Structure formats: structure tokens, C-alpha cells
Amino acid sequence: MPVRPLCISFLILALTLSVASCGYIPRQVAGLPADTSWDALPLRKWLAEDRSDPVALSFCAPPVCGPGLAVSVIRLTGKDAEITDALLKDPERLARALRSPAGRERPVKTLITVERLRAGPYPGFAIDLAPADGSKRPAYGAAFGKREGEALTVVLAIGENADVVKDTARQVTARELGT
């Protein structure tokens, strides 16, 4: 008879561990191709720092997927949501802050271009960052956000091709945030 209580205890322990580990199972970003070129990272337990709630992160790396691309979905609250919402509506503020040498002895010489974007009802922007000396290839980003009460859900895409980044961010925004 002592085997039966041990089995029940083992089953309860296994169930508890299974439920507790669900936060480590990666969630694929919606709106991306459902093939093996895209991988997802289990961010929920790794990156939460009481400032944001990572929802999903997927990436596609060369040579399988060219150019390289990463797409994430995060949820912000409080002051971080307010600041990010303002930047989504006026991305030139972000560009000015990045160009500013505040707190640095030598300003970073980077060419920064921003452009306002819309994905349905959601405000957003595209940003291009490149070294002024042309020593490295530029990086491109696009972001869109949706307000839900005090929370702001943001879709962010970063990659090596401006058009691919913008298109992907719009596709993911439609699926993750709705149209």
C-alpha cells in the first residue's frame, strides 16, 4: 500500500512542475511565416524587470532567412508606457534624444532617420541607424503600439532591410494587435 501514496505524490509533483514551467515555453509571434526558418525565445521569465512584460520574441537568422530579422511583442505600463506612446506618435523626439551627446564625452556619430508610420489605427515609426563614416551597414527598425487602458502593447521589428522590417512589423501588428 505505501506505493500508492508515493505515486499520487509523484503525479502531483509532476503536474506542479509542468504548470510552473509553462512560462519557459516560447510563444511564436503571430503573423510570421509558420516554417522552420523562424525560432522563438522563451522570454517571459528571463527579461521581466518590473518595467515591461515580454510577450514574444521570434527571429530569423541568415543564411536560412535573409536578411536577418527579429520581431518582438512587449507590454508596457506606467511611465514607460507613457514615454513609449509619446515616441510612437512623435518619433522625432527619439531621434533628437539619440543624437544628443548628453552624458557622453564624445557624441556618437550616427546618421539617424525616422519616419512616422501607421498600421491601421495604430501609431508607429520606422528608424534607420547607420555610422556616419559608413564603416558598418545600417540597422532598421519599426514599431507600432496599441493602448489598452493603462497598458501599451508594442510590436517591434529590427533587421537589415528597411522594407522587410516595415512590412513585417505591419503584418505582425495586424495579427497581434488586430485590425
Side-chain angles (χ1 to χ4, degrees):
M1 275 321 244
V3 173
R4 187 171 213 166
L6 183 61
C7 287
I8 292 172
S9 297
F10 178 74
L11 288 173
I12 291 172
L13 177 63
L15 180 62
T16 302
L17 289 174
S18 297
V19 170
S21 68
C22 285
Y24 293 101
I25 297 171
R27 173 174 132 10
Q28 185 78 8
V29 173
L32 296 174
D35 58 29
T36 58
S37 62
W38 285 89
D39 288 317
L41 293 177
L43 293 180
R44 287 181 138 340
K45 300 292 182 183
W46 292 359
L47 296 181
E49 297 178 355
D50 297 332
R51 300 182 67 168
S52 66
D53 180 21
V55 176
L57 171 68
S58 296
F59 65 95
C60 187
V64 174
C65 182
L69 187 61
V71 183
S72 66
V73 180
I74 59 170
R75 189 165 292 114
L76 303 166
T77 56
K79 188 174 181 176
D80 291 324
E82 296 297 324
I83 292 168
T84 304
D85 194 30
L87 293 175
L88 287 166
K89 294 173 182 170
D90 182 13
E92 189 55 45
R93 287 178 58 186
L94 175 61
R96 283 191 303 272
L98 291 172
R99 290 181 191 118
S100 171
R104 296 184 221 139
E105 290 181 23
R106 291 181 3 188
V108 177
K109 294 188 170 52
T110 304
L111 300 175
I112 302 167
T113 306
V114 292
E115 167 190 5
R116 287 183 191 205
L117 299 174
R118 291 208 64 83
Y122 310 117
F125 65 87
I127 186 166
D128 304 354
L129 301 165
D133 63 5
S135 61
K136 295 181 183 175
R137 296 186 329 203
Y140 303 97
F144 293 99
K146 176 184 180 182
R147 263 304 192 178
E148 299 169 297
E150 293 294 315
L152 176 69
T153 302
V154 177
V155 170
L156 176 64
I158 300 170
E160 300 170 355
N161 179 296
D163 293 331
V164 171
V165 167
K166 290 178 200 176
D167 291 343
T168 302
R170 282 189 174 106
Q171 290 169 10
V172 170
T173 297
R175 290 289 306 276
E176 286 283 347
L177 307 182
T179 49

